[in-house]
Amino acid sequence: MARPFFTVRYGRSALVLIAVLAISAALDTVFWLRTVHRLEATARTALTAARENGWRVETTPLHKGGWPFGAWVELDRLNGTHSASAASPYDAGWAGEKIRLGGSWLSLLQAGLPLSLTGHQAARLVVNENVLTVLASGLQIRFNNPENLVFSAPRLQLAFSGRWPDRQFSTQTLYGRLIRFPSASPDATRLGLIAHAATVNGFPLPYGLSSDLRNARLAIALTASQSSQGLSLLDPTSYGRLILQDASATPVPASPDNRITLTGALALPEQNGALTLTMTHWQELASRLLDRPEIESHLAPDLQAALQKLLQKASGIPAMKERPFSLSMPVVNGQILPDAQAVSALVSQSFRTP
């Protein structure tokens, strides 16, 4: 007795589907094997290079995963320490959980190699007895090439101690880009950073004060010194200048129109140079600051008088209320020195009645 036509057709379709699935699974497996082999080689090369550069690294064994939806190699734990030496005069350490190189097929098809750091991550850098500690969880890094990486983190905490005054602050919704040119010629950019944060909590200010900020942006460049060749990127002697291209934010609870920006350049390692402070919609902020005794007590009487005169002139000239306030300040040995003469000149020149 002949089999019904639809039964034969259904049976052939099922066989075709099974064959397609089998071929897809085989190709996925082959691609996964090749990808994890490449990722494993990359991870081992990075660990070897770290040890050759003076790091003592302890890790759990690498394990592979991701099939069939992706490919990655992963460490459950990594501890690394670097002791100061004549060639690399800094101490550093890193303790991290869940470090994954790779990801889903979609993330691997995008430009750059993804690196995910989940769990607790802690890093510490000690240079000239100054200590920087960084705590993070959920840090995402993508290496577009060896000189260029992008990063993001839902939350990052930074703390300063040692010879620095003890200060700490945190960022929310942080993302940015880091560029590195270890072999840069003198006075060319050796290290550059662009970063944005939706909020910054407890940002340290002069005189022991702090403030919450929103929509913060930082763009800096460190140029190579005459002796930078062969030195680590963490070696402070490898840099000749710090160029502050943009450090800006809106103070909380000021309106979004109120923006504070700092730009300038400093010679290193002396930290001598000049910075320019610019504020938009600044009158309310300036009045509030001058009313705080902890700030007023640190300002010289002539500077206080010049600032008060500036506020009075601005209040009497309605057309000037929207004009940004800009002030150049010398920096000596890392200390900002507001100049009363500069404020007085600003008062007499920038706030004349039209």
Side-chain angles (χ1 to χ4, degrees), residues 150-169:
V150 295
F151 60 88
S152 64
R155 179 177 172 83
L156 193 73
Q157 294 177 273
L158 297 97
F160 299 90
S161 58
R163 295 176 60 184
W164 281 325
D166 289 350
R167 305 300 294 268
Q168 60 183 7
F169 64 96

Side-chain angles (χ1 to χ4, degrees), residues 4 7 22 25 43-45 67 115 119 125 141 168 184 207 216 224 237 239 256 310 315 354:
T7 302
R44 295 192 184 283
T45 298
W67 189 90
L115 177 68
L125 175 65
I141 300 173
Q168 60 183 7
Y207 317 132
T237 64
Y239 300 106
L310 177 62
S315 63

Side-chain angles (χ1 to χ4, degrees), residues 120 124 147 193 267:
H120 297 292
R124 175 165 292 184
E147 291 78 32
L193 172 68

Side-chain angles (χ1 to χ4, degrees), residues 278-290:
T278 303
M279 293 190 292
T280 58
H281 297 269
W282 55 273
Q283 292 89 342
E284 179 184 353
L285 176 62
S287 298
R288 196 163 60 237
L289 290 176
L290 288 175

Side-chain angles (χ1 to χ4, degrees), residues 34-87:
R34 294 187 62 181
T35 303
V36 295
H37 177 74
R38 177 175 61 87
L39 294 172
E40 187 176 23
T42 300
R44 295 192 184 283
T45 298
L47 291 172
T48 299
R51 293 186 175 103
E52 291 175 348
N53 283 282
W55 284 81
R56 180 180 177 182
V57 182
E58 298 178 354
T59 72
T60 54
L62 272 171
H63 55 88
K64 309 167 188 175
W67 189 90
F69 304 110
W72 61 69
V73 294
E74 195 173 59
L75 295 168
D76 291 327
R77 179 181 56 81
L78 183 149
N79 291 327
T81 56
H82 183 284
S83 299
S85 65

Side-chain angles (χ1 to χ4, degrees), residues 181-192 221-229 237-243 245 265-268:
F181 302 103
S183 301
S185 57
D187 209 35
T189 298
R190 192 166 193 255
L191 189 67
L222 287 163
T223 65
S225 66
Q226 297 294 327
S227 58
S228 64
Q229 294 298 319
T237 64
S238 68
Y239 300 106
R241 284 195 306 155
L242 167 64
I243 302 174
Q245 298 168 325
L266 301 178
L268 300 175

Side-chain angles (χ1 to χ4, degrees), residues 154-160 167-174 197-205 209-216 249-253:
R155 179 177 172 83
L156 193 73
Q157 294 177 273
L158 297 97
F160 299 90
R167 305 300 294 268
Q168 60 183 7
F169 64 96
S170 62
T171 67
Q172 310 283 343
T173 316
L174 174 71
T199 59
V200 180
N201 300 116
F203 184 78
L205 298 173
L209 303 175
S210 63
S211 175
D212 294 338
L213 309 172
R214 63 172 175 264
N215 192 19
T250 296
V252 175

